Amino acid sequence: KAGVTQTPRYLIKTRGQQVTLSCSPISGHRSVSWYQQTPGQGLQFLFEYFSETQRNKGNFPGRFSGRQFSNSRSEMNVSTLELGDSALYLCASSLDRGVRNEQFFGPGTRLTVL
Amino acid sequence: EDKVVQSPLSLVVHEGDTVTLNCSYEVTNFRSLLWYKQEKKAPTFLFMLTSSGIEKKSGRLSSILDKKELSSILNITATQTGDSAIYLCAVRSPQAGTALIFGKGTTLSVSS
């Protein structure tokens, strides 16, 4: 089975621009979660999608948004980029929303904001 | 607020040593604790623990959960240079849905 894939792997943007990141979960997985990883804050939860609906959201400003498609693929969007948005953005998929399900991570998208 | 604390933050050992990494948590209605290994890429899943006292093992790695002490340990025996990585501990509670609450991680460096 193919793992979680994320595109693009690297991205460089300037302040004020917006960016869209994509995540394809493991085949059959219906839950997709997004995390931001920075050296100072570690891994922080952004949001989770299941059946095309946002089910859970972390403490991030409204500039961060996402969506999920009927094939479970997910995108996240960051508008009006700030320097502090530079981070590794990780997507994780799991079979469903059961708390005993493992989450499997993709390779991440490294976003640099100049 | 839910919190996960890992210790030590970093560790340097020699090949062949045994290491113990610690994870303590404060979450409302704990459900599960997960360990991940992260090299220069995606965190890879190691273990998920839900019941206290049950040891999970995979080769040289093992982990135990202590729900009374709200903590878990990850042991690595006979360390190898390939074990060098960041080890992440995460917990899940119903309040967070399926979201994982991560600790800052322990950076392990194994020298030959």
Side-chain angles (χ1 to χ4, degrees):
Chain A
K1 240 187 208 182
V4 179
T5 59
Q6 292 186 247
T7 57
R9 294 293 310 280
Y10 302 91
L11 207 48
I12 298 175
K13 292 285 188 179
T14 56
R15 276 182 301 175
Q17 287 187 308
Q18 75 164 20
V19 67
T20 299
L21 313 181
S22 181
C23 170
S24 292
I26 292 171
S27 177
H29 283 197
R30 298 165 62 197
S31 172
V32 174
S33 297
W34 288 89
Y35 295 84
Q36 180 195 66
Q37 187 175 30
T38 59
Q41 298 298 318
L43 266 153
Q44 293 184 288
F45 172 74
L46 280 157
F47 29 64
E48 180 219 352
Y49 285 87
F50 180 81
S51 292
E52 302 177 64
T53 303
Q54 187 180 92
R55 302 290 179 160
N56 203 358
K57 191 177 192 303
N59 294 324
F60 279 83
R63 301 184 296 107
F64 292 81
S65 63
R67 58 179 176 167
Q68 186 180 36
F69 302 95
S70 58
N71 60 358
S72 295
R73 190 177 71 85
S74 177
E75 289 181 346
M76 70 163 278
N77 184 275
V78 189
S79 62
T80 321
L81 284 166
E82 300 176 1
L83 295 179
D85 297 332
S86 294
L88 180 66
Y89 290 87
L90 291 161
C91 163
S93 78
S94 60
L95 201 57
D96 56 36
R97 302 199 71 230
V99 293
R100 291 173 183 260
N101 288 323
E102 302 94 333
Q103 284 192 3
F104 297 92
F105 283 84
T109 294
R110 173 76 61 185
L111 172 64
T112 302
V113 182
L114 304 175
Chain B
E1 186 181 327
D2 295 337
K3 190 168 63 172
V4 177
V5 177
Q6 293 186 245
S7 64
L9 288 180
S10 65
L11 194 53
V12 180
V13 301
H14 294 293
E15 262 191 318
D17 287 350
T18 293
V19 298
T20 299
L21 310 182
N22 301 286
C23 175
S24 62
Y25 59 88
E26 291 177 27
V27 295
T28 309
N29 295 326
F30 169 89
R31 281 292 184 263
S32 55
L33 183 146
L34 294 85
W35 284 97
Y36 288 87
K37 175 184 181 182
Q38 186 177 28
E39 297 168 270
K40 291 181 181 178
K41 47 185 179 175
T44 53
F45 173 78
L46 293 174
F47 301 113
M48 182 170 69
L49 303 157
T50 56
S51 301
S52 195
I54 295 176
E55 183 179 17
K56 291 272 185 104
K57 290 193 75 169
S58 176
R60 297 176 294 103
L61 277 67
S62 64
S63 182
I64 295 178
L65 175 67
D66 187 335
K67 288 172 95 170
K68 186 178 175 184
E69 296 296 326
L70 306 184
S71 65
S72 174
I73 58 171
L74 176 68
N75 280 321
I76 308 175
T77 60
T79 52
Q80 302 170 357
T81 55
D83 294 327
S84 296
I86 299 172
Y87 290 85
L88 296 163
C89 171
V91 297
R92 184 184 275 148
S93 72
Q95 277 67 25
T98 57
L100 292 174
I101 305 158
F102 280 89
K104 295 286 177 72
T106 293
T107 300
L108 173 65
S109 299
V110 182
S111 62
S112 57

